[in-house]
Amino acid sequence: MTESTAPQSEHRTVLLRGGDVHSPADPFATAMVVERGHVAWVGSEGAADAFASGVDEVIDLEGALVTPAFTDSHVHTTSTGLALTGLDLSGARTLAEALGLVRASANGQAEGGVILGHGWDAARWPEQRPPSRRELDEAAGGRAVYLPRVDVHSAVVTTALLDLVPGVTALPGYLGDAPLTGDAHHAVRAAAHGAVTPRQRAAAQRAALAHAASLGIGTVHECAGPEISDEEDFTGLLELASEQPGPRVFGYWAEPVEDAKGARRIRELGALGAAGDLFVDGSLGSHTALLHEPYADAPHTGSGRFDAARIAAHVTACTEAGLQAGFHAIGDAAVSAVVAGVRAASETLGLARIRAARHRVEHAEMLTPETVAAFAELGLTASVQPAFDAAWGGPDGMYARRLGAERAATLNPYAALLRAGVPLAFGSDSPVTPLDPWGTVRAAAHHRTPEHRVSVRAGFTAHTRGGWRAVGRDDGGVLVPGAPADYAVWRTGELLVQTPDDRVARWSTDPRSGTPGLPDLSPGAELPVCLRTVVFGQTVYVRPNE
C-alpha cells in the first residue's frame, strides 16, 4: 500500500482508492474520501478521479479492503495490558507446566512487588485441578503471586499475598486451599493490583490500546468498577485515551445507583453508565454462575449477588438520571433476575423510557426462549463474547462438564437473539479471551452448536455498528457519508458472502443482491492482516514495513 508524503494533520482530506470499501452506501465501492474526521464520500474508481486533485493525500490501497474499525464491547484494559506484559499461563498444557512458568517468573524477577499472572484453566489440564497453595508457594519461592483463572472469577494465590490482606480468611469465598471466589477474591485482587505503580499501570494501558489498534479495533468499552479495579485506574485510562492517538475508550463503572446523587458520581467519573460488570452472578468455569438447577458436576446452583428488587431499583434510578444501566449475568437464574428487575422498572417508568435507555446485559449466556423474547421487548442490548463458545462450547467442552450436554447446547443462542430483534454487540472480555475481532466473528459464524450460528455479515455488524449502538449512538461503525472516519485497512484474500444457509449464500453472492462481501472466515482460513487503523480521521496504527 503506497501513499503520498503529506504531513500528518487532524483535518487532512484523504482519498483512498484502488481497493474494496465495505459500505452499504455502495456495495461495489472501491474508493472513499475522508474530510474533517468523517466519511465524506464512497464510490467507484472512475468517480474518484474527480476528487484526486482536491485532496491533501491520496492512498493507493493496492487491492486492500477497507472496513469500519471494530468495536470491542467488553474490555478490561489495564488487566489486558498486564497480561500482555506479565505472566501468561494460557498456553500451559499441564499443571506442572504452569508451575514451571511461575517458577521461571519468580526466578527472573527482582525481589519486591507482586507477580501478576493470568489465563490458567485447570479444565484443560490432565490433572483437572488447580495448583494447591503449597505447590504455588514452593514454585514462587515465597513471593506474593496472584493468578486469576481464565474467567477472572476465581484465583489461586500464595501465602505471601494472603498475608497482605488481614481478615481475608473470614470473608465469603475463602474456602481453605480452594481457589478464592467472591469477596475474598475481590479483596486479594485489590491488594495485588494495589501493588502496581501508576507508571506500570499507564504502561499496561498503552500496551493494551496499541495492541487493540494493531488488530483494527478503533473503539473499546472499558468495563470497570470497584470490584475490578479502582477509580484512579478508570479515570487515568479515560484521560490517557483522550490525550494520545489511539482507540476510543467508552467507559462503564459497575456500581449500584440508588438516587440522583449516585448517578451524578457516575457521570463525574466520566462513565457512560453504571453498567458493565455489575455482578448479578459469577461464571460457569468457577461454579459461581447462578442457575435454576444444580450444576452437573457440583451439588449447588452457584451464587447470586443482585435480586430482582435491587436490579429494578438500579435500572429505575439510572433511567431517571439518563444513564445506561447494565449487569453481568451468565446463569439462567441470573438472566431471569435481570429480566424481572428491568420489567419491574418498566412498570414504574413506562416501557418506552426503558427501551430508549438501551440498557445492557453482559455475557447473557444461558438464555431461554422466554428471556430472549423479554430482551427484545425491553430493548436490552446483549453484549456477548463468541470466543467463549469457541473456547468452552461443544459436547466435550467445559460448558458440557458444568451443565451436561443438553443444557450446554442452549448457551449463547445468537441466531435466536437476532431473529427476535435483540441488539447484539460483540466483545472479548479481554483478557478472559484475547482481543481478536475477526476470530470473534468466525466463532459466531461457526458456533459449536449449529442452530446458534449467524452469518459472517451479521457477526461483523455486531462487532462494528453493534458496539456503537450499545453506547447509544447510531452514527458510527459503518462507512457512509457523515459517519465518523473510524476504519481499518486489511490485506486479505477473496471476498465472499458467508451464511449458515447455503441457499442464502448463493443468492447473496449474485451481483443482483448488492451484498458486499467479507473475508473468508472458514475454519483454518488465514485471517485478514491489519495494515492501518484510523480513528476519527487520525492514523493510530500502521503495520511496520508496509
Side-chain angles (χ1 to χ4, degrees):
M1 183 171 65
T2 58
E3 62 182 273
S4 74
T5 57
Q8 291 286 324
S9 170
E10 183 177 353
H11 294 307
R12 290 173 305 159
T13 301
V14 179
L15 168 64
L16 299 94
R17 64 183 306 178
D20 290 290
V21 179
H22 187 89
S23 171
D26 182 346
F28 308 109
T30 62
M32 180 172 75
V33 173
V34 172
E35 185 175 24
R36 295 188 175 274
H38 291 80
V39 176
W41 170 85
V42 293
S44 67
E45 195 61 29
D49 290 335
F51 294 96
S53 62
V55 300
D56 301 311
E57 180 180 9
V58 177
I59 295 178
D60 182 357
L61 294 168
E62 297 180 355
L65 170 67
V66 181
T67 71
F70 285 101
T71 292
D72 192 308
S73 297
H74 194 119
V75 176
H76 305 288
T77 306
T78 302
S79 295
T80 296
L82 291 172
L84 288 168
T85 58
L87 173 58
D88 182 4
L89 299 178
S90 62
R93 294 163 294 183
T94 66
L95 171 59
E97 191 173 329
L99 290 169
L101 291 170
V102 172
R103 189 174 292 109
S105 179
N107 291 337
Q109 192 166 316
E111 291 295 328
V114 176
I115 296 174
L116 299 172
H118 175 72
W120 63 269
D121 185 359
R124 297 185 176 185
W125 296 342
E127 299 88 348
Q128 289 289 300
R129 68 171 180 86
S132 68
R133 189 159 302 129
R134 179 187 59 77
E135 290 170 325
L136 201 56
D137 284 346
E138 185 278 326
R143 301 284 297 278
V145 176
Y146 170 69
L147 301 178
R149 188 185 179 278
V150 64
D151 59 15
V152 202
H153 283 274
S154 60
V156 292
V157 302
T158 56
T159 302
L161 182 56
L162 285 177
D163 290 343
L164 299 179
V165 189
V168 66
T169 58
L171 293 175
Y174 182 89
L175 298 171
D177 200 38
L180 303 174
T181 62
D183 292 346
H185 176 217
H186 298 149
V188 171
R189 176 167 56 191
H193 285 183
V196 176
T197 67
R199 184 174 180 178
Q200 288 173 314
R201 182 174 61 228
Q205 292 170 348
R206 282 193 292 269
L209 293 176
H211 182 56
S214 75
L215 297 170
I217 297 171
T219 299
V220 300
H221 297 180
E222 167 67 12
C223 292
E227 294 186 353
I228 299 166
S229 54
D230 58 44
E231 292 181 14
E232 185 178 357
D233 179 277
F234 182 65
T235 57
L237 171 65
L238 297 182
E239 183 178 0
L240 182 148
S242 70
E243 291 177 348
Q244 68 174 40
R248 301 169 188 262
V249 177
F250 292 121
Y252 288 96
W253 186 254
E255 190 168 349
V257 171
E258 298 178 355
D259 50 30
K261 180 179 178 182
R264 186 163 57 250
R265 207 182 81 75
I266 298 295
R267 280 206 175 86
E268 289 170 353
L269 288 172
L272 286 179
D277 277 332
L278 188 54
F279 297 115
V280 176
D281 68 345
S283 73
L284 292 166
S286 293
H287 291 100
T288 52
L290 185 63
L291 312 181
H292 284 304
E293 301 294 333
Y295 284 87
D297 61 351
H300 61 81
T301 57
S303 54
R305 305 285 300 280
F306 271 66
D307 61 16
R310 289 190 71 197
I311 290 166
H314 178 72
V315 171
T316 299
C318 287
T319 306
E320 289 181 324
L323 282 175
Q324 277 185 292
F327 305 91
H328 162 120
I330 286 179
D332 51 1
V335 174
S336 293
V338 170
V339 165
V342 178
R343 181 169 282 128
S346 75
E347 292 168 356
T348 300
L349 300 178
L351 181 60
R353 288 185 69 186
I354 294 297
R355 289 179 58 87
R358 302 192 189 188
H359 301 309
R360 336 177 10 151
V361 183
E362 309 300 315
H363 316 309
E365 293 200 80
M366 292 186 70
L367 292 156
T368 65
E370 292 75 22
T371 51
V372 168
F375 272 44
E377 174 197 354
L378 298 167
L380 295 173
T381 294
S383 171
V384 297
Q385 296 73 41
F388 286 8
D389 175 73
W392 303 311
D396 300 319
M398 181 271 287
Y399 290 154
R401 290 196 293 276
R402 292 290 184 271
L403 302 172
E406 184 175 348
R407 272 193 297 177
T410 68
L411 264 60
N412 302 301
Y414 304 137
L417 286 163
L418 282 178
R419 283 195 301 269
V422 176
L424 287 185
F426 281 179
S428 63
D429 199 7
S430 179
V432 174
T433 58
L435 299 171
D436 179 16
W438 286 115
T440 294
V441 177
R442 174 155 63 188
H446 296 278
H447 197 295
R448 290 177 180 270
T449 304
E451 58 263 37
H452 300 331
R453 293 173 180 169
V454 299
S455 69
V456 167
R457 184 184 183 192
F460 178 78
T461 298
H463 217 343
T464 50
R465 199 168 193 179
W468 282 79
R469 287 171 168 166
V471 296
R473 291 184 57 174
D474 295 323
D475 61 330
V478 61
L479 299 179
V480 296
D486 289 23
Y487 62 89
V489 181
W490 308 91
R491 182 168 63 235
T492 188
E494 181 184 3
L495 302 182
L496 309 170
V497 176
Q498 304 145 83
T499 78
D501 188 325
D502 183 58
R503 293 167 301 171
V504 176
R506 284 198 301 270
W507 161 246
S508 299
T509 309
D510 190 305
R512 292 171 295 174
S513 75
T515 303
L518 284 165
D520 181 8
L521 300 186
S522 302
E526 186 175 343
L527 293 177
V529 174
C530 184
L531 304 178
R532 176 184 295 254
T533 305
V534 175
V535 176
F536 200 56
Q538 286 191 297
T539 299
V540 300
Y541 169 78
V542 176
R543 183 174 173 83
N545 303 318
E546 292 290 343

